[in-house]
């Protein structure tokens, strides 16, 4: 599957508000050799912010930058939702 297909699957986990399902999708993506991008990381940050786990959202941001993926305005907007 393409990265777009994987993002659609990940989006289902977000809509279900399930960090566990999202982590499983992420593991499957990595096993399939999919390169994680700003969309992937921002989606995970959105999920954690929406369920009120700002620490996990910040951890994903740290993981993202350590992987060399630059956050964008969507990333930071998603992160800020966790503080509201």
């Amino acid at each position: 599957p393409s990265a777009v297909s994987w993002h659609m699957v990940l989006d289902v986990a977000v809509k279900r508000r399930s960090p566990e399902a999202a982590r499983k999708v992420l593991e499957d993506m990595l096993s399939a050799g999919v390169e994680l991008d700003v969309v992937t990381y921002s989606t995970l940050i959105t999920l954690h912010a929406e369920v009120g786990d700002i620490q996990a959202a910040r951890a994903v941001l740290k993981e993202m930058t350590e992987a060399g993926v630059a956050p964008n305005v969507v990333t930071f907007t998603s992160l800020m939702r966790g503080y509201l």
Side-chain angles (χ1 to χ4, degrees):
S2 69
V4 172
S5 299
W6 282 109
H7 290 149
M8 290 170 57
V9 174
L10 186 59
D11 194 48
V12 171
V14 172
K15 287 185 171 125
R16 291 178 53 206
R17 299 175 61 99
S18 176
E20 298 81 15
R23 198 43 77 172
K24 174 69 173 117
V25 172
L26 187 69
E27 290 170 8
D28 291 346
M29 289 174 74
L30 291 170
S31 293
V34 176
E35 187 173 325
L36 305 184
D37 60 14
V38 67
V39 174
T40 309
Y41 286 111
S42 294
T43 301
L44 291 170
I45 289 169
T46 297
L47 169 62
H48 291 300
E50 286 183 359
V51 299
D53 191 349
I54 194 63
Q55 296 298 68
R58 290 173 56 105
V60 172
L61 179 63
K62 183 175 188 238
E63 180 182 333
M64 175 184 190
T65 57
E66 288 175 352
V69 178
N72 63 18
V73 67
V74 174
T75 309
F76 289 116
T77 301
S78 297
L79 185 62
M80 288 187 330
R81 285 186 189 141
Y83 288 100
L84 299 177

